[in-house]
Amino acid sequence: MSREQRAKIDAMLRTARPEGPQPVEEIRSGFEAMMATMIVPDGIRTTTVALGSRRTLLVEPRGRSPHAGTILYFHGGGFVYGSPETALSLTGNLVARTGLRAFSPDYRLAPEHPFPAAIDDALAAYRGLLDAGEDPSSLVFAGDSAGGGLTVTTCLAARAAGVPLPAAIVAFSPGLDGTRSGESMDTKAGLDPFFTRESLAHTGAMHLAGQDPNQELISPALHADLTGFPPMLLQVGTNEVLLDDSTRMAARAREAGVDVILDVTAEVPHVFQAFAGVLDEADQALDRAALFLTQHLGTAGTPAASVS
């Protein structure tokens, strides 16, 4: 672990954080510019495909057939910004470390498409993989931030629709409480270099469009019935205002009899895994996530089925 690495990233994020609410176009362009500086691993190739009627980025190991098993990856961005491309350092690292392929759908964003558009698109992408012949036992959901929340809410939507659940869930710094009522919203306010309560309220209002956040598809850490859920890995940093989204979800999972790993790393920011290659803790966390995936999918086997 490197205190110097963590300090540099903290300073960079604080410098990049704008003062006051920004127009959505500026939020999107600023986030895209920041994420373009992240290191994307060698040894992967990307292709644009259609999945569930949405443009989707297919990420595969370069120079070899992917192992049996597929990651459905949901990018972060508060349901307002971000894209499959902004999450490529994360998706690419999971693919490079596991040999699995990943599909990352470009789900619709607020304010143009508020709740529940993202969940609808995520479920449609999952159905698309199942319709193409994928076995749910060979599929895992992964995602970061808002996309980490989608790993849970898409499972809830799938279960409600009678669709079988995936083999496992991996969530990096997931957003799981639209009410923003966790104690860490206040106790970590000065430590979090990325989010403030005000910035989350600004984008949250776009996503909710007046809907009550006290419902399981918006605040699953408070209201979701997780009975029958697949094993979950929740990774989060101690310097996050969203820390308690993960701690409360882990407690809820345990109460429901779900296998859950709450993986907390000290003194790192929101979605610290994106800093792979420059932050030791990021690479270590991604190694743990890759191990979790391979344990629950079993990566030996025939190449995955074709989806176009």
Side-chain angles (χ1 to χ4, degrees):
M1 297 191 298
S2 168
R3 189 174 301 275
E4 182 180 344
Q5 291 171 346
R6 295 195 303 264
K8 285 182 67 174
I9 289 169
D10 186 275
M12 183 274 286
L13 290 173
R14 291 181 189 278
T15 301
R17 187 169 72 186
E19 293 293 331
Q22 302 291 307
V24 66
E25 295 81 5
E26 292 184 19
I27 296 173
R28 289 170 176 170
S29 62
F31 183 71
E32 182 178 350
M34 182 183 75
M35 297 308 291
T37 68
M38 303 300 164
I39 298 172
V40 176
D42 295 329
I44 64 168
R45 65 176 182 269
T46 61
T47 311
T48 300
V49 299
L51 187 62
S53 81
R54 298 297 301 171
R55 182 186 73 86
T56 298
L57 196 65
L58 170 60
V59 186
E60 299 175 284
R62 179 183 294 153
R64 57 191 171 116
S65 296
H67 290 299
T70 296
I71 303 166
L72 184 57
Y73 193 92
F74 305 121
H75 71 80
F79 301 107
V80 170
Y81 51 95
S83 70
E85 286 73 22
T86 61
L88 192 53
S89 63
L90 296 159
T91 318
N93 267 294
L94 289 178
V95 168
R97 283 168 159 81
T98 62
L100 301 168
R101 66 176 181 173
F103 290 89
S104 183
D106 192 15
Y107 58 84
R108 289 171 295 169
L109 299 176
E112 297 89 346
H113 305 282
F115 172 84
I119 298 173
D120 291 343
D121 290 348
L123 180 57
Y126 183 43
R127 285 183 182 271
L129 290 174
L130 297 179
D131 291 345
E134 288 279 351
D135 190 311
S137 66
S138 72
L139 281 161
V140 65
F141 290 173
D144 65 280
S145 195
L150 277 175
T151 66
V152 174
T153 55
T154 304
C155 278
L156 291 168
R159 188 180 62 188
V163 177
L165 300 186
I169 290 171
V170 171
F172 302 138
S173 300
L176 298 164
D177 174 19
T179 73
R180 309 301 182 206
S181 59
E183 289 185 8
S184 57
M185 285 296 302
D186 296 316
T187 60
K188 303 296 182 178
L191 292 174
D192 193 323
F194 194 83
F195 284 137
T196 64
R197 183 180 285 278
E198 292 72 24
S199 68
L200 289 169
H202 180 51
T203 53
M206 297 183 205
H207 174 230
L208 292 178
Q211 296 234 27
D212 182 359
N214 281 291
Q215 49 184 297
E216 69 171 6
L217 292 182
I218 297 173
S219 300
L222 302 183
H223 301 296
D225 175 7
L226 302 180
T227 303
F229 257 52
M232 306 171 67
L233 171 64
L234 308 173
Q235 290 188 341
V236 66
T238 62
N239 287 9
E240 298 195 49
V241 292
L242 297 184
L243 172 61
D244 282 351
D245 287 39
S246 289
T247 60
R248 288 177 297 164
M249 177 56 67
R252 199 167 192 85
R254 286 194 301 269
E255 291 167 2
V258 175
D259 290 340
V260 59
I261 298 174
L262 176 62
D263 182 354
V264 182
T265 298
E267 299 180 1
V268 292
H270 187 67
V271 193
F272 66 95
Q273 300 88 343
F275 293 94
V278 296
L279 178 64
D280 293 343
E281 292 88 341
D283 287 286
Q284 293 160 4
L286 286 163
D287 285 342
R288 296 193 297 274
L291 176 61
F292 181 85
L293 293 181
T294 56
Q295 287 175 329
H296 288 284
L297 290 178
T299 57
T302 57
S306 176
V307 174
S308 61

